[in-house]
Amino acid sequence: MSSNSFAYNEQSGGGEATELGQEATSTISPSGAFGLFSSDLKKNEDLKQMLESNKDSAKLDAMKRIVGMIAKGKNASELFPAVVKNVASKNIEIKKLVYVYLVRYAEEQQDLALLSISTFQRALKDPNQLIRASALRVLSSIRVPIIVPIMMLAIKEASADLSPYVRKNAAHAIQKLYSLDPEQKEMLIEVIEKLLKDKSTLVAGSVVMAFEEVCPDRIDLIHKNYRKLCNLLVDVEEWGQVVIIHMLTRYARTQFVSPWKEDDGLEDNEKNFYESDDEQKEKTDHKKKPYTMDPDHRLLIRNTKPLLQSRNAAVVMAVAQLYWHISPKSEVGIISKSLVRLLRSNREVQYIVLQNIATMSIQRKGMFEPYLKSFYVRSTDPTMIKTLKLEILTNLANEANISTLLREFQTYVKSQDKQFAAATIQTIGRCATNISEVTDTCLNGLVCLLSNRDEIVVAESVVVIKKLLQMQPVQHGEIIKHMAKLLDSITVPVARASILWLIGENCERVPKIAPDVLRKMAKSFTSEDDLVKLQILNLGAKLYLTNSKQTKLLTQYILNLGKYDQNYDIRDRTRFIRQLIVPNEKSGALSKYAKKIFLAQKPAPLLESPFKDRDHFQLGTLSHTLNTKATGYLELSNWPEVAPDPSVRNVEVIELAKEWTPAGKAKKENSAKKFYSESEEEEDSSDSSSDSESESESASGEQEEEGDSSEDSSEDTSSEHRSDSESASEVGDKRTAKKNSKSKGKSYSEDGEKENEKSKTSDSSSTDSSSEEESSSDSESVSESESEPESRKVAKENEKKKTKQDRNPLTKDVSLLDLDDFNPVSTPVALPTPALSPSLIADLEGLNLSTCSSVISVSTPVFVPVKTHVLLHRMSGRGLAAHYFFPRQPCIFGDKMVSVQITLNNTTDQKIENIHIGEKKLPMGMQMHVFNPIESLEPEGSITVSMGIDFCDSTQTASFQLCTKDDCFSVNIQPPVGELLLPVAMSEKDFKKEQGMLTGMNETSTVIIAAPQNFTPSVILQKVVNVANVGVVPSGQDNIHRFAAKTVHSGSLMLVTVELKEGSTAQLIINTERTVIGSVLLRELKPVLSQG
């Protein structure tokens, strides 16, 4: 997409600018020229004088301030003439900042920028790569057609520059030049072709972006570079990975046959009649032979798999869409865990990921069923996220889990978010239509909702019941009668219209009720909404045709009212109905069929997912999100029936060596390979790019690609386990991993040969079974020879199995994908790293995970006091009383907030309306998340709401106004110091370690004197947890009791120790960085522990 490409261009190319801008901003003094009262004119005059100074320090200071202005979004364009004079400065720091400024304003001040063209051209030859790159960026930012030839020449020269950073900027400039002058396309394609051969990971992403912008249809440029791009993918920067993966997805759809095809026996039988015996024999052979994946297809799938652990959500999303669109259906399941992991990100990322999951879950329910609980709605989710989660839950609903989901939906209906509650009712309706076993249950539940206090819930229930009754109207006469009674109380127009439509459709089933409903509606016709008026007219027409004896005069009265209505739609409908149902001389032929027209059998509505038709857009694209084709969207082609010639991707190693390899490199490789074991050579050749293979290997590889596909497929299976278990380590420092594995290679292969004789039979059988179980797997390099000795193959298989046994358990612990989404972990967990070399894994084997830095892990509260505090007395609140208490749970509104529950009571005999939080008077830094306004509170009614307050680890008072429709009352919440903590689970060893680091000024202590019976473990525990929300730390000594917590705002540890001494004394010690809170807590705990 063009919009995305522009963003990528700015992101990658403007990295230096951002960095410099941030640096400059940090150096700006808040006083001086940026003072509050200085005028823009004076400020800019000051800067102009500094830029014209003879001192470099003054110029540098001025440029830093100007770049700081740009970073803050201020307009600095009038300084262009003064800045552009310094473009030829000899000071590199000044020159860099001048170029940052010029990139921003060159397009606006084109005439002045053109005067400096010669300076930019000279800068393109500068020895400093940053200056060369910046000059090219400025040159490509001057969007004047007259300098196109100069830009073209500069891009050509930069594309051959020794610095990869300059070549990267050349790729960015290609897109700018193409948008300025599309006629340069052919020359730009030549530059792109040259840059595609570049082996630098810095350039790869940018040149593929240029390829996507300029010539996305020139697939032939990718052929020779396909394997190189696949192998470089792991090391390219994140945004480059996204672009390359999207491009390779489109490439794979044009070059490989579909992995989803299953041999259709029926089609073959039909065709056999027309084929000769030889053709039929070939067909039978082909049918017996299973689908074998092209090694290049497998290479792409294998090399993108480790990126599912990327920290960048866009990369994970790109890999997920690649697997969805090009991998075998048996392998797509691995993306589900990665996508669920992304749901822990911010709401914008969640929105995109959930949209894509919603599309996937329509076709492949099984992928996401294990993660059903991840899609349960949280109260903190915004409405857009809630509705998407509902959509996914509806798609995943089946007979097995529908009872659980319906219980969940019952809670959602009670939500204060009315839009979400309405969407939940729609969801219940869809579940009822999709799963026939629960249709009646859902219908009964929706009928119960008709007595709900909330009008919107009732209205939505009526609309959904109407749709359900259309499917089976005969059985539900009682429901229609019940809904007719609701007309007196329901005021929402859509609901009233739905009830009238239902009564009209079933007027013959409720002959007594329908005329009476029409009579009531005739009374209120003039005050009804237009939607309701139209349905009253329809009801009158239907009753006129079926029960004219009772309703003839009533219908004519309604038609007369409609004739003079203000809305022309209603006047038109009235005239139309009168002509159709009331016979007169002018009546046409249609009057005979009036009853058939009005009372025709209506088809039941189809309740379908809004994401049903989105799968024709590529997942993860803007077009998929908007459900409409966006500008620049490149469609995925259908799979070819027959795969194009795979040899176009073969690369001549000799030619590449001549062009790219420095002298002596090939010789070095050959000598180095003698040092490594044979099995490691093969492993390296499969991981490395094709241009690193030796000449003889590449020759045999080319023969085998065409000849021996079955050998590949059998060996693929044995390598699956190894690559899966090592996928985490492949993401990171590949060089370190290879170095370590190579040093161990010799001993691995020797072990394999020793075990060969013992386990040859069992190994071969297990290999066969694994090839049946896993239909597709990671392929070995195509350079492995068919005539490889059998013993060597078995040794290699043994080695791989051993490697899997050795490494698999630990890798499983470290893998990001193994995080469980809905099992709360109360023990400390080491933060997973996406890249671990084998040597580091070996070091970690003996390491206790609880000794890592992440010892702070929140546990459940030991005790929750039921004590409430008065927020607003009923006398002061004119009948409105409010109490609050601290539930000691992590706050759902923010991890730095303390959760507060407020109970509101209406002690009057009248309804209190619009209860909400008014003006807040909070100390500096304190924040408050208020509850949603309460529309009304019935007499003697009570309601509990939740709030979150960030007290900033202090006991300062949060003051605010609690308001009703008529009054506002000033109230205060002051937290006890013990409620500013969250309990922490940690071992005694960790406690002592942390306590050792919090001594000196971070430690406060006091001596307590009390009776011995007050020093029993149960009494101490009860007294401490009653005062403070702390967790109990297991202790190996009877006379020492330890408690641990962390402050809610800053996460600082609070360690409490009660050490019993001889006699009736004990020492209370508190260790914390927050010494103020520590001393306050000490003062509160001392009297509590001392008293009997």
Side-chain angles (χ1 to χ4, degrees):
M1 291 178 287
S2 58
S3 56
N4 284 1
S5 65
F6 180 73
Y8 169 75
N9 180 17
E10 291 301 314
Q11 173 88 15
S12 311
E16 182 197 350
T18 312
E19 190 175 330
L20 290 167
Q22 288 169 351
E23 181 190 336
T25 309
S26 64
T27 61
I28 292 169
S29 166
S31 59
F34 283 87
L36 188 62
F37 302 104
S38 62
S39 67
D40 285 345
L41 181 65
K42 185 181 174 186
K43 179 166 57 183
N44 291 343
E45 282 300 321
D46 179 30
L47 289 170
K48 284 175 185 174
Q49 287 174 11
M50 291 172 74
L51 288 169
E52 289 168 6
S53 166
N54 294 326
K55 294 181 180 178
D56 280 355
S57 59
K59 290 181 179 179
L60 186 61
D61 190 35
M63 283 311 304
K64 283 182 177 180
R65 284 163 58 179
I66 291 167
V67 173
M69 286 169 65
I70 296 170
K72 289 180 176 179
K74 295 180 180 176
N75 185 10
S77 58
E78 63 178 35
L79 292 164
F80 195 93
V83 173
V84 84
K85 288 177 189 174
N86 293 286
V87 77
S89 171
K90 291 181 180 178
N91 186 311
I92 287 180
E93 292 302 316
I94 294 174
K95 192 178 273 193
K96 277 198 267 184
L97 291 177
V98 168
Y99 279 133
V100 169
Y101 177 89
L102 292 176
V103 167
R104 169 68 181 81
Y105 288 109
E107 194 170 344
E108 294 177 22
Q109 306 273 350
Q110 292 175 353
D111 294 339
L112 285 168
L114 283 172
L115 296 175
S116 306
I117 285 281
S118 58
T119 313
F120 303 143
Q121 287 178 291
R122 279 200 305 276
L124 289 169
K125 303 281 192 294
D126 195 280
N128 188 321
Q129 60 171 353
L130 293 176
I131 300 298
R132 295 200 301 276
S134 297
L136 182 61
R137 281 169 52 203
V138 175
L139 201 58
S140 58
S141 299
I142 304 171
R143 303 181 64 77
V144 181
I146 198 169
I147 66 159
V148 165
I150 298 172
M151 284 172 64
M152 191 70 237
L153 191 65
I155 289 170
K156 280 186 174 179
E157 287 179 3
S159 66
D161 198 284
L162 289 173
S163 164
Y165 181 66
V166 178
R167 299 199 297 272
K168 176 192 182 79
N169 278 279
H172 293 160
I174 288 171
Q175 300 163 64
K176 294 184 183 179
L177 181 53
Y178 178 69
S179 65
L180 179 63
D181 185 6
E183 291 178 6
Q184 302 292 325
K185 182 174 180 177
E186 289 308 315
M187 294 177 74
L188 290 173
I189 288 173
E190 289 175 19
V191 182
I192 289 171
E193 188 173 7
K194 182 180 177 183
L195 286 172
L196 277 169
K197 294 175 185 173
D198 201 311
K199 289 176 69 179
S200 170
T201 53
L202 200 63
V203 181
S206 302
V207 69
V208 170
M209 192 69 239
F211 168 82
E212 292 281 80
E213 279 292 301
V214 179
C215 52
D217 52 336
R218 286 290 303 274
I219 292 292
D220 56 295
L221 298 179
I222 304 298
H223 291 322
K224 298 286 183 190
N225 302 294
Y226 172 80
R227 292 173 190 163
K228 183 195 71 182
L229 286 171
C230 287
N231 287 308
L232 286 182
L233 199 53
V234 171
D235 298 318
V236 176
E237 88 275 5
E238 291 165 339
W239 295 112
Q241 286 173 344
V242 174
V243 176
I244 293 172
I245 290 169
H246 276 279
M247 185 273 291
L248 291 177
T249 305
R250 287 194 306 107
Y251 179 87
R253 287 290 286 256
T254 61
Q255 298 300 309
F256 308 124
V257 292
S258 170
W260 310 330
K261 270 187 189 169
E262 298 295 332
D263 291 322
D264 193 340
L266 182 64
E267 281 184 12
D268 289 347
N269 292 337
E270 286 172 355
K271 289 175 185 173
N272 284 344
F273 180 78
Y274 302 101
E275 291 170 351
S276 65
D277 291 343
D278 293 339
E279 286 173 331
Q280 192 168 342
K281 188 180 178 185
E282 281 176 22
K283 198 79 176 172
T284 314
D285 292 343
H286 177 70
K287 189 176 175 183
K288 286 177 185 173
K289 185 181 174 183
Y291 162 78
T292 26
M293 186 179 282
D294 188 300
D296 286 327
H297 192 171
R298 168 59 58 202
L299 178 71
L300 175 58
I301 292 172
R302 185 184 68 196
N303 284 12
T304 49
K305 184 178 179 182
L307 297 180
L308 285 170
Q309 300 181 59
S310 173
R311 63 184 178 179
N312 189 308
V315 176
V316 178
M317 194 62 247
V319 178
Q321 66 84 27
L322 178 135
Y323 265 78
W324 180 258
H325 290 300
I326 72 162
S327 74
K329 292 188 176 178
S330 57
E331 294 182 34
V332 180
I334 66 164
I335 66 173
S336 51
K337 188 179 280 189
S338 305
L339 291 174
V340 168
R341 172 169 67 86
L342 294 184
L343 297 182
R344 300 189 183 97
S345 308
N346 56 54
R347 57 177 63 180
E348 291 80 12
V349 172
Q350 283 184 54
Y351 180 71
I352 298 298
V353 172
L354 286 168
Q355 276 202 323
N356 287 281
I357 291 176
T359 303
M360 293 180 194
S361 60
I362 292 170
Q363 294 181 24
R364 303 288 303 278
K365 289 187 180 185
M367 274 175 62
F368 296 98
E369 275 180 11
Y371 308 102
L372 188 72
K373 290 184 181 176
S374 301
F375 304 111
Y376 283 179
V377 173
R378 296 185 174 94
S379 57
T380 50
D381 289 335
T383 306
M384 60 180 184
I385 301 293
K386 288 176 179 174
T387 48
L388 277 172
K389 284 186 174 179
L390 271 181
E391 181 63 41
I392 294 166
L393 289 173
T394 312
N395 293 342
L396 298 181
N398 56 34
E399 292 84 353
N401 59 29
I402 187 65
S403 56
T404 312
L405 289 178
L406 287 177
R407 280 201 301 275
E408 190 75 11
F409 293 157
Q410 281 175 352
T411 313
Y412 299 165
V413 170
K414 298 170 188 171
S415 169
Q416 290 186 357
D417 183 344
K418 302 309 172 197
Q419 188 182 342
F420 170 55
T424 305
I425 294 166
Q426 290 278 6
T427 299
I428 294 170
R430 271 180 58 196
C431 289
T433 56
N434 296 341
I435 304 167
S436 55
E437 288 86 347
V438 294
T439 305
D440 290 337
T441 311
C442 292
L443 201 53
N444 293 338
L446 290 169
V447 170
C448 292
L449 288 176
L450 294 176
S451 55
N452 196 295
R453 286 183 185 177
D454 196 322
E455 211 169 56
I456 295 170
V457 172
V458 176
E460 201 64 39
S461 302
V462 168
V463 174
V464 174
I465 289 171
K466 179 200 117 181
K467 291 175 182 174
L468 291 176
L469 291 184
Q470 270 184 269
M471 297 172 189
Q472 38 186 4
V474 186
Q475 309 165 14
H476 300 291
E478 288 302 315
I479 294 177
I480 295 168
K481 290 175 186 175
H482 179 63
M483 289 171 79
K485 293 174 187 173
L486 288 172
L487 268 175
D488 296 332
S489 56
I490 293 178
T491 57
V492 178
V494 182
R496 291 175 72 82
S498 295
I499 294 172
L500 291 172
W501 184 90
L502 263 179
I503 293 169
E505 282 296 294
N506 301 279
C507 56
E508 292 172 324
R509 293 192 185 89
V510 282
K512 293 180 180 177
I513 293 172
D516 195 49
V517 167
L518 186 66
R519 178 183 62 77
K520 285 183 179 178
M521 290 295 104
K523 282 184 182 178
S524 61
F525 183 88
T526 50
S527 60
E528 294 287 358
D529 189 86
D530 293 343
L531 191 66
V532 182
K533 287 178 182 177
L534 290 170
Q535 289 304 329
I536 294 172
L537 289 169
N538 286 350
L539 176 62
K542 290 170 186 173
L543 286 172
Y544 187 94
L545 294 168
T546 56
N547 188 1
S548 59
K549 184 179 175 184
Q550 276 185 294
T551 57
K552 184 176 180 180
L553 292 172
L554 198 53
T555 304
Q556 286 182 348
Y557 170 68
I558 290 169
L559 289 173
N560 287 333
L561 287 174
K563 183 179 179 182
Y564 301 106
D565 197 88
Q566 290 181 346
N567 188 299
Y568 53 80
D569 279 340
I570 292 163
R571 295 198 298 272
D572 285 352
R573 178 72 64 88
T574 305
R575 280 194 289 271
F576 164 70
I577 289 174
R578 192 189 292 276
Q579 290 298 321
L580 198 57
I581 65 169
V582 181
N584 56 31
E585 308 83 42
K586 297 178 183 177
S587 294
L590 276 178
S591 296
K592 301 172 189 174
Y593 306 105
K595 191 167 183 177
K596 287 184 178 178
I597 292 170
F598 275 102
L599 297 170
Q601 189 67 39
K602 275 66 167 194
L606 266 176
L607 300 175
E608 287 184 338
S609 167
F611 289 86
K612 189 181 179 185
D613 301 324
R614 289 201 190 191
D615 54 349
H616 60 274
F617 290 116
Q618 187 175 352
L619 296 184
T621 58
L622 180 64
S623 300
H624 176 268
T625 304
L626 301 176
N627 199 21
T628 183
K629 190 173 178 179
T631 310
Y633 173 70
L634 301 169
E635 288 189 2
L636 282 177
S637 59
N638 293 322
W639 295 99
E641 289 298 320
V642 180
D645 181 15
S647 64
V648 292
R649 289 184 289 278
N650 293 343
V651 182
E652 293 284 338
V653 179
I654 302 167
E655 287 177 16
L656 274 177
K658 283 180 184 174
E659 189 176 346
W660 291 103
T661 311
K665 186 176 178 186
K667 189 176 178 183
K668 238 187 234 179
E669 282 184 6
N670 289 337
S671 62
K673 281 192 178 182
K674 290 176 187 174
F675 178 77
Y676 303 130
S677 68
E678 289 176 348
S679 59
E680 285 302 312
E681 265 181 52
E682 289 146 16
E683 202 167 306
D684 282 352
S685 67
S686 68
D687 288 339
S688 62
S689 59
S690 57
D691 50 59
S692 68
E693 296 172 355
S694 67
E695 291 171 27
S696 60
E697 283 175 329
S698 72
S700 64
E702 283 170 25
Q703 291 167 10
E704 245 183 81
E705 260 183 47
E706 294 165 10
D708 187 28
S709 56
S710 60
E711 182 73 10
D712 271 3
S713 65
S714 66
E715 287 186 8
D716 285 353
T717 54
S718 62
S719 65
E720 172 73 5
H721 301 298
R722 176 184 61 79
S723 62
D724 279 359
S725 64
E726 289 181 352
S727 61
S729 62
E730 283 175 9
V731 179
D733 191 349
K734 286 174 75 181
R735 294 177 186 83
T736 311
K738 283 184 183 178
K739 188 175 177 184
N740 284 290
S741 62
K742 283 174 183 174
S743 64
K744 297 176 184 177
K746 191 173 179 183
S747 62
Y748 282 164
S749 60
E750 284 172 7
D751 291 346
E753 285 169 13
K754 284 175 188 174
E755 289 173 20
N756 182 18
E757 293 176 6
K758 295 178 187 175
S759 59
K760 188 171 181 179
T761 315
S762 62
D763 280 349
S764 59
S765 63
S766 65
T767 309
D768 292 341
S769 64
S770 69
S771 64
E772 288 167 15
E773 285 167 13
E774 298 183 34
S775 62
S776 53
S777 56
D778 298 343
S779 65
E780 286 294 315
S781 168
V782 291
S783 62
E784 289 182 10
S785 168
E786 189 179 21
S787 59
E788 187 180 13
E790 187 65 23
S791 61
R792 182 175 158 194
K793 283 184 191 174
V794 178
K796 197 166 73 178
E797 287 168 12
N798 290 342
E799 172 212 325
K800 286 168 189 167
K801 287 189 179 76
K802 187 175 179 190
T803 309
K804 181 206 168 191
Q805 288 167 2
D806 289 346
R807 299 184 188 176
N808 201 30
L810 188 69
T811 326
K812 191 174 179 185
D813 286 347
V814 176
S815 172
L816 258 177
L817 298 182
D818 286 330
L819 292 174
D820 196 5
D821 191 59
F822 35 81
N823 286 342
V825 181
S826 59
T827 54
V829 177
L831 292 174
T833 51
L836 291 175
S837 64
S839 61
L840 187 56
I841 290 176
D843 292 341
L844 285 171
E845 279 175 352
L847 191 66
N848 184 358
L849 289 178
S850 63
T851 62
C852 299
S853 59
S854 57
V855 291
I856 300 175
S857 124
V858 178
S859 63
T860 51
V862 178
F863 172 74
V864 180
V866 291
K867 182 185 177 186
T868 60
H869 310 266
V870 175
L871 182 66
L872 179 66
H873 194 272
R874 61 187 177 84
M875 299 299 288
S876 313
R878 297 182 185 175
L880 176 65
H883 296 79
Y884 68 93
F885 83 105
F886 298 89
R888 292 192 174 181
Q889 292 292 340
C891 184
I892 56 175
F893 305 114
D895 53 359
K896 293 187 176 183
M897 290 187 172
V898 176
S899 185
V900 183
Q901 287 197 356
I902 298 176
T903 304
L904 301 165
N905 295 295
N906 181 1
T907 60
T908 66
D909 55 357
Q910 294 179 343
K911 190 165 29 173
I912 299 178
E913 295 182 340
N914 191 19
I915 304 171
H916 62 280
I917 300 293
E919 185 186 353
K920 293 178 275 191
K921 296 176 184 175
L922 305 176
M924 180 75 73
M926 196 180 285
Q927 292 181 332
M928 178 188 290
H929 188 288
V930 302
F931 56 84
N932 291 332
I934 298 163
E935 290 176 4
S936 63
L937 187 59
E938 298 297 324
E940 302 302 322
S942 174
I943 188 168
T944 301
V945 291
S946 293
M947 287 175 59
I949 305 176
D950 182 358
F951 289 102
C952 298
D953 290 351
S954 72
T955 53
Q956 295 181 81
T957 303
S959 302
F960 54 96
Q961 288 190 328
L962 184 63
C963 301
T964 63
K965 184 180 178 183
D966 305 310
D967 301 295
C968 282
F969 311 102
S970 294
V971 292
N972 303 311
I973 293 180
Q974 183 171 19
V977 67
E979 304 303 335
L980 300 174
L981 306 173
L982 286 173
V984 165
M986 57 164 56
S987 64
E988 185 178 9
K989 183 180 174 183
D990 291 330
F991 185 99
K992 288 178 179 176
K993 180 183 171 185
E994 293 294 337
Q995 192 177 34
M997 292 189 281
L998 294 170
T999 53
M1001 291 179 69
N1002 295 326
E1003 185 176 294
T1004 52
S1005 63
T1006 186
V1007 175
I1008 303 164
I1009 301 170
Q1013 63 266 26
N1014 291 335
F1015 284 154
T1016 59
S1018 58
V1019 173
I1020 290 173
L1021 172 65
Q1022 185 216 333
K1023 288 183 175 182
V1024 171
V1025 297
N1026 195 33
V1027 171
N1029 186 16
V1030 292
V1032 181
V1033 177
S1035 175
Q1037 299 157 280
D1038 292 337
N1039 65 323
I1040 297 179
H1041 304 279
R1042 297 184 175 91
F1043 306 89
K1046 70 168 187 174
T1047 58
V1048 176
H1049 176 81
S1050 62
S1052 302
L1053 277 178
M1054 180 77 65
L1055 307 177
V1056 180
T1057 310
V1058 180
E1059 187 175 354
L1060 306 181
K1061 303 287 185 184
E1062 292 178 4
S1064 57
T1065 62
Q1067 188 174 21
L1068 174 64
I1069 307 167
I1070 294 179
N1071 302 79
T1072 180
E1073 287 177 356
R1074 299 281 173 177
T1075 50
V1076 176
I1077 298 184
S1079 57
V1080 174
L1081 182 61
L1082 191 82
R1083 284 202 302 271
E1084 288 196 12
L1085 279 173
K1086 185 178 178 180
V1088 172
L1089 290 170
S1090 300
Q1091 68 191 16

